[in-house]
Amino acid sequence: MARAGLTADRLIRAGAELADEVGFEQVTLSALARRFDVKVASLYSHLKNSRDLKTGIALLALAELADRAADALAGRAGRDALTALADVYRDYAREHPGRYAAAQFRLDARTAAASAGVRQAQMTRALLRGYDLTEPDQTHAVRLLGSVFHGYVSLELAGGFSHSAPDSQESWERILDALDALLRNWPAAKAP
Amino acid sequence: MARAGLTADRLIRAGAELADEVGFEQVTLSALARRFDVKVASLYSHLKNSRDLKTGIALLALAELADRAADALAGRAGRDALTALADVYRDYAREHPGRYAAAQFRLDARTAAASAGVRQAQMTRALLRGYDLTEPDQTHAVRLLGSVFHGYVSLELAGGFSHSAPDSQESWERILDALDALLRNWPAAKAP
DNA sequence: TGCATTTTCCTAATGCCTTTAGGCAACCGA
DNA sequence: TCGGTTGCCTAAAGGCATTAGGAAAATGCA
């Protein structure tokens, strides 16, 4: 019988598409096998197990996000860079909800450390060089930005801001305004 | 044969405990049946299906969160109220990670509208009365606070801020400082 | 109290998912 | 072209969700 030409890479890529179509939770080896018109057991020649597939999709999403972030940040600084980076996350989540969910998949520490997730943190840090922050405030700001981006996008994706005025786009813009203002005017630590 | 005395309420409560112990994802009718030493099919007299159980746990978590928030906000205003409300979310997530994850469970629109989630939004709004914001900025600020609280707590729970200096508690405090400053000094909308 | 009704829990069966074992055919290098 | 490796298969076992149908316990009403 003819071979299907499976590889881990093709499977993970197809898994990512599947995630965007039906949700990351519903990504299953069975569904993937169906998509390739192949028996489930055959996938085990290319993937260790179901978790391995999900990990692969997560790493793919993290890498895509980091690539987009790098592109977006190139040649920009300050408020411009902030908006660009923020939109990378929001746009990615809206274009690829399944992949975005995958990017939140809990990786083990070793895998996470080797993932493109670290690149993302570095880029947020790079963005902050356009503002006048020194350690440890810079780290606090990195964490704040990560929280806002992730939090907002999650809530928006969960439908939290739909069906209510003002529309989400407007809030997003005003929130970025506010963050920009905050970063330019970061409050000094209080006395203990 | 003696009856086990199951009720939807007891099952949901036990499901919430199970979630905190093994994670919301792993909450399963089978595991719950085992916990009550009962056959799985028996649960269907009390719950419509597996999703019904998860919905119940989500509603329980949302209600508990709203109760805590109401307590925390009583008699406080401004920066005090902000810290109190923020800590409600963070502490709840750390004490009850499974329930906190459940609170993120995607409810259908009708159920969500009837849940304690709306009470939470109202309380965030109440908190903002201590600052000088008018619509639509107040709504933007509600969404910002929701995003930061949820985003920070999620990332922290996922281990994002561990094993790196400065420690998470310090970032949390400084971020709340920053948000307080931002709310007291919310930037005016730019001209179109 | 006695009896009918309802409720609760059971067994049995089905279907979907994951994972492992073992086999044969297709591919690749020498 | 021949032997080894790899890719895909069948088969089987185990877990979870769900439904159908039955029997015993609880309930309620005469």
Side-chain angles (χ1 to χ4, degrees):
Chain A
M1 48 209 59
R3 296 194 174 181
L6 306 180
T7 65
D9 202 73
R10 283 189 66 198
L11 289 172
I12 286 167
R13 226 167 278 285
E17 287 170 26
L18 189 57
D20 287 335
E21 291 165 22
V22 304
F24 184 62
E25 303 292 309
Q26 336 304 324
V27 171
T28 179
L29 291 181
S30 296
L32 201 54
R34 251 174 265 133
R35 178 160 294 214
F36 281 95
D37 205 16
V38 139
K39 300 297 173 184
V40 188
S42 308
L43 304 185
Y44 283 83
S45 300
H46 307 278
L47 303 167
K48 277 214 312 290
N49 50 39
S50 175
R51 182 178 175 80
D52 197 35
L53 170 64
K54 293 194 174 161
T55 299
I57 299 174
L59 293 176
L60 173 64
L62 289 171
E64 287 182 350
L65 267 170
D67 288 349
R68 287 194 182 200
D71 267 16
L73 246 42
R76 288 192 234 263
R79 156 91 225 217
D80 245 28
L82 177 67
T83 304
L85 184 63
D87 280 335
V88 161
Y89 288 102
R90 183 159 176 255
D91 292 345
Y92 189 79
R94 307 211 292 184
E95 287 169 37
H96 299 295
R99 283 157 146 98
Y100 186 78
Q104 260 61 60
F105 185 64
R106 186 91 176 244
L107 302 169
D108 58 284
R110 304 196 61 74
T111 311
S115 77
V118 311
R119 250 166 84 211
Q120 293 179 40
Q122 288 164 355
M123 284 188 285
T124 306
R125 209 161 225 112
L127 153 68
L128 287 175
R129 276 200 282 278
Y131 297 90
D132 204 31
L133 292 170
T134 54
E135 289 298 356
D137 285 333
Q138 197 175 77
T139 298
H140 300 322
V142 167
R143 292 172 175 178
L144 171 62
L145 290 183
S147 299
V148 176
F149 296 166
H150 171 54
Y152 193 93
V153 165
S154 298
L155 295 179
E156 185 178 37
L157 221 57
F161 305 147
S162 45
H163 317 307
S164 60
D167 74 19
S168 186
Q169 177 62 32
E170 192 186 328
S171 282
W172 181 243
E173 289 167 11
R174 299 289 289 111
I175 284 174
L176 293 179
D177 284 342
L179 287 176
D180 175 62
L182 177 59
L183 293 173
R184 278 190 281 101
N185 214 347
W186 190 265
K190 290 185 179 126
Chain B
M1 48 210 62
R3 297 192 174 184
L6 306 180
T7 65
D9 203 73
R10 283 190 67 197
L11 288 171
I12 288 167
R13 225 166 278 285
E17 285 170 27
L18 190 57
D20 287 334
E21 291 164 22
V22 304
F24 184 61
E25 304 292 308
Q26 336 303 326
V27 171
T28 179
L29 291 181
S30 296
L32 201 54
R34 249 173 268 133
R35 179 161 294 217
F36 281 94
D37 205 14
V38 140
K39 300 297 172 183
V40 186
S42 308
L43 304 186
Y44 283 83
S45 300
H46 308 279
L47 302 168
K48 276 214 312 290
N49 49 39
S50 175
R51 183 178 174 79
D52 198 36
L53 170 64
K54 293 193 174 161
T55 299
I57 300 174
L59 293 176
L60 173 63
L62 289 171
E64 287 182 350
L65 267 170
D67 288 348
R68 287 194 182 199
D71 266 14
L73 246 42
R76 288 192 233 262
R79 157 89 226 218
D80 245 29
L82 177 66
T83 304
L85 184 62
D87 280 336
V88 162
Y89 288 102
R90 183 159 177 255
D91 292 345
Y92 189 79
R94 306 210 295 182
E95 288 169 36
H96 298 294
R99 284 158 147 97
Y100 186 79
Q104 260 61 59
F105 184 65
R106 185 92 174 243
L107 301 170
D108 59 284
R110 303 196 60 75
T111 310
S115 76
V118 312
R119 248 167 84 210
Q120 292 179 42
Q122 288 164 355
M123 283 188 284
T124 307
R125 207 159 227 113
L127 152 66
L128 287 175
R129 277 200 281 279
Y131 297 90
D132 205 30
L133 292 170
T134 55
E135 288 300 352
D137 285 333
Q138 197 175 78
T139 298
H140 300 321
V142 168
R143 291 172 175 179
L144 171 61
L145 290 184
S147 300
V148 176
F149 296 166
H150 171 55
Y152 192 94
V153 165
S154 298
L155 294 178
E156 184 178 38
L157 220 56
F161 306 146
S162 44
H163 316 307
S164 59
D167 75 19
S168 187
Q169 176 63 33
E170 192 187 327
S171 281
W172 182 243
E173 289 167 10
R174 299 290 288 113
I175 283 174
L176 293 179
D177 284 343
L179 287 176
D180 175 61
L182 177 59
L183 292 173
R184 277 191 280 101
N185 214 346
W186 190 265
K190 291 189 178 117

